[in-house]
């Protein structure tokens, strides 16, 4: 392969509305030692993508455009750099490499450290696999590594129907927790099928009224104080010493003070690349323990339309870009 080989990618030259995402030609990357070059079949779309596109999200890590968004990829190893021992050309892999640095996932090829990838779950397509890494790692790392959820604990998941939420419901259930989710009523049967023990329609009831005296051990808040003040309102449903994981908005000084006054704990969270956890998640997917919900697959060229859809904040499960077959 010549160093100047080109590939198709979505490039943005300025921060702005979805229309800044344009199908372009870009330089095809080459793997350094310990890295793999992956031919991308599908790329997942996450809220951090549209937040960063507009200059928010992790724009602080990417710097000024031009750049290519996208962290979730599923594809096939094309080439390995010196020192790579666990993957070989032809292996099917998925991952969320480099986060929060740019990974350039909305493209035909990405290079990244080999151990930030894992073998793709065998039982699902590349489109489904690309829906998994960032959302499932967020659920996995927050429930297991941060909250240390134990069997029998009561876990409340806000925005249970979204990308992170639907994995969180299933992972918390797998851990043996009693799982409560918030979602509009049209999602309730589906979430119950994924393992939720109780689902609250946040559009018609205040969850803190429904859960008065519920003695919740862990709240995984995927809506945040920016949406309906869910983090602050959640402090009242936690048992003494219980934990709020405030995923989107983090913990403001006001929220920290309110948690302290209420005798509960509150922590912010940021997902990180984790090939080892992805291997475990792939096993649970192949065992049928975790199901992947993809609401819609868009062609790579229609990344802008996928962003516009996602920003409407009504996605059931995930949105994905088809890059190549
Ligand atoms: N810090 C980190 O490391 C990290 C990692 C991943 C995600 N995040 C953040 O976490 C948030 C969730 O991510 P995601 O990928 O799951 O988003 P998503 O898939 O776009 O979430 C969409 C879902 O949110 C639900 N929703 C919206 N407002 C709600 C409310 N007030 N109460 C309950 N549910 C509500 C909707 O449910 P209905 O259809 O039922 O209305 C919809 O299904 C985003 O803000 C994202 O940026 C942060």
């Amino acid at each position: 392969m010549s160093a100047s080989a080109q590939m198709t990618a979505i490039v943005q030259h300025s921060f702005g509305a979805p229309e800044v995402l344009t199908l372009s030609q870009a330089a095809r990357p080459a793997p350094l030692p310990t890295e793999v070059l992956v031919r991308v079949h599908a790329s997942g779309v996450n809220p951090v993508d549209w937040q960063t596109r507009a200059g928010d999200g992790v724009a602080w890590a990417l710097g000024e455009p031009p750049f290519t968004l996208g962290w979730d990829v599923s594809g096939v190893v094309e080439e390995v750099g010196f020192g790579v021992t666990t993957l070989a050309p032809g292996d099917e892999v998925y991952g969320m490499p480099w986060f929060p640095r740019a990974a350039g996932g909305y493209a035909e090829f990405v290079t990244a450290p080999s151990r930030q990838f894992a073998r793709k779950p065998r039982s699902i397509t590349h489109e489904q696999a690309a829906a998994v890494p960032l959302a499932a790692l967020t659920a996995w790392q927050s429930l297991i590594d941060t909250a240390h959820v134990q069997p029998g604990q009561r876990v409340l998941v806000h925005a249970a129907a979204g990308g992170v939420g639907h994995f969180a419901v299933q992972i918390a259930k797998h851990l043996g927790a009693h799982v409560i989710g918030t979602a509009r009523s049209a999602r309730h049967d589906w979430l119950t099928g994924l393992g939720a023990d109780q689902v609250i329609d946040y559009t018609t009831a205040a969850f803190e009224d429904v859960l008065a005296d519920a003695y919740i051990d862990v709240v995984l808040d995927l809506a945040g104080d920016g949406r309906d003040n869910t983090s602050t309102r959640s402090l009242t449903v936690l048992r003494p010493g219980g934990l709020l994981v405030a995923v989107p908005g983090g913990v403001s000084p006001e929220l920290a003070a309110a948690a302290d006054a209420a005798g509960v704990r509150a922590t912010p969270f940021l997902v990180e690349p984790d090939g080892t956890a992805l291997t475990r998640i792939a096993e649970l997917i192949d065992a049928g323990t975790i199901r992947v919900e993809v609401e819609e697959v868009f062609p790579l060229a229609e990344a802008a339309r996928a962003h516009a859809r996602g920003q409407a904040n009504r996605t059931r499960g995930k949105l994905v870009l088809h890059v190549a077959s």
Side-chain angles (χ1 to χ4, degrees):
M1 184 193 76
S2 105
S4 60
Q6 297 285 293
M7 66 173 183
T8 300
I10 296 289
V11 180
Q12 68 178 89
H13 292 272
S14 61
F15 292 118
E19 293 66 38
V20 301
L21 301 175
T22 50
L23 196 66
S24 313
Q25 289 298 299
R28 177 171 155 172
L32 292 175
T34 75
E35 292 181 354
V36 290
L37 173 72
V38 173
R39 182 183 288 272
V40 179
H41 285 239
S43 184
V45 178
N46 290 287
V48 70
D49 301 6
W50 57 79
Q51 293 158 5
T52 304
R53 185 207 70 227
D56 197 2
V58 295
W60 46 264
L62 272 64
E64 289 296 314
F67 53 65
T68 293
L69 287 172
W71 283 273
D72 277 339
V73 294
S74 181
V76 177
V77 174
E78 179 87 1
E79 205 181 313
V80 301
F82 176 77
V84 174
T85 52
T86 56
L87 292 173
D91 287 342
E92 293 193 312
V93 294
Y94 76 141
M96 182 208 69
W98 294 119
F99 188 84
R101 292 182 188 272
Y106 294 0
E108 287 181 299
F109 292 93
V110 300
T111 50
S114 66
R115 288 171 195 253
Q116 293 188 5
F117 289 99
R119 305 231 175 207
K120 164 187 162 291
R122 282 189 302 274
S123 58
I124 59 175
T125 64
H126 283 292
E127 278 77 16
Q128 291 169 309
V132 175
L134 193 147
L137 284 176
T138 299
W140 185 274
Q141 293 169 359
S142 58
L143 292 170
I144 295 176
D145 302 332
T146 300
H148 307 290
V149 168
Q150 300 298 313
Q153 286 195 322
R154 297 168 70 79
V155 174
L156 169 63
V157 179
H158 286 300
V164 180
H166 88 293
F167 288 124
V169 165
Q170 298 177 82
I171 291 168
K173 192 70 187 173
H174 172 66
L175 295 171
H178 177 90
V179 185
I180 305 163
T182 60
R184 64 188 56 239
S185 57
R187 318 292 200 206
H188 287 199
D189 286 349
W190 168 64
L191 285 169
T192 303
L194 293 181
D197 296 288
Q198 182 182 356
V199 193
I200 299 168
D201 184 350
Y202 71 94
T203 68
T204 58
F207 66 85
E208 63 270 43
D209 293 343
V210 179
L211 296 174
D213 306 318
Y215 223 66
I216 302 292
D217 294 282
V218 175
V219 176
L220 182 61
D221 186 8
L222 303 165
D225 267 349
R227 262 186 242 161
D228 300 340
N229 228 19
T230 51
S231 285
T232 299
R233 289 165 57 209
S234 292
L235 299 176
T236 64
V237 304
L238 283 164
R239 66 160 168 80
L243 178 67
L244 165 71
V245 186
V247 176
V251 178
S252 65
E254 296 75 20
L255 180 60
D260 218 28
V264 301
R265 296 169 296 145
T267 183
F269 174 86
L270 190 63
V271 68
E272 58 180 317
D274 189 345
T276 305
L278 284 177
T279 297
R280 186 73 193 106
I281 290 165
E283 288 166 1
L284 291 171
I285 290 171
D286 284 337
T289 305
I290 295 178
R291 280 182 270 160
V292 183
E293 180 75 11
V294 175
E295 183 181 278
E296 189 167 349
V297 179
F298 299 79
L300 179 65
E302 294 182 24
R305 201 160 65 80
H307 275 216
R309 169 72 75 83
Q311 282 179 247
N313 197 26
R314 288 287 163 266
T315 306
R316 170 174 140 155
K318 298 286 303 177
L319 304 174
V320 170
L321 303 175
H322 172 82
V323 180
S325 297

